[in-house]
Amino acid sequence: MSNKVKFSDFSKNVYPFLELETFHSNYYKVLEMFACGKIRKLIVTMPPQHGKSVGASTLLPAYML
């Protein structure tokens, strides 16, 4: 995938209220590397309410499409 828009920028455009802390920026960089094929397998483990579903299940598929 050769998407020139960064995943974090895409996410902020889709959800303007999204506030990315350092943790989220790093998480979104990893998701972007997954979307680009630089990471082939990815398991995400985080505590509840940390943005796993929004990042990986909502925004990432939209970004990849």
Side-chain angles (χ1 to χ4, degrees):
M1 174 178 202
S2 62
N3 200 337
K4 295 186 182 198
V5 177
K6 291 174 52 175
F7 180 53
S8 58
D9 293 337
F10 171 82
S11 301
K12 287 185 225 175
N13 284 330
V14 173
Y15 288 144
F17 54 86
L18 192 65
E19 295 180 21
L20 297 181
E21 301 294 330
T22 304
F23 161 78
H24 295 101
S25 296
N26 292 331
Y27 174 50
Y28 281 26
K29 285 178 189 174
V30 171
L31 291 177
E32 183 175 349
M33 290 188 318
F34 177 78
C36 293
K38 295 178 183 174
I39 296 175
R40 294 189 60 191
K41 296 180 182 181
L42 179 64
I43 296 176
V44 177
T45 57
M46 290 189 276
Q49 301 297 312
H50 276 71
K52 294 182 302 287
S53 295
V54 171
S57 299
T58 305
L59 293 170
L60 187 64
Y63 175 73
M64 292 177 73
L65 289 174

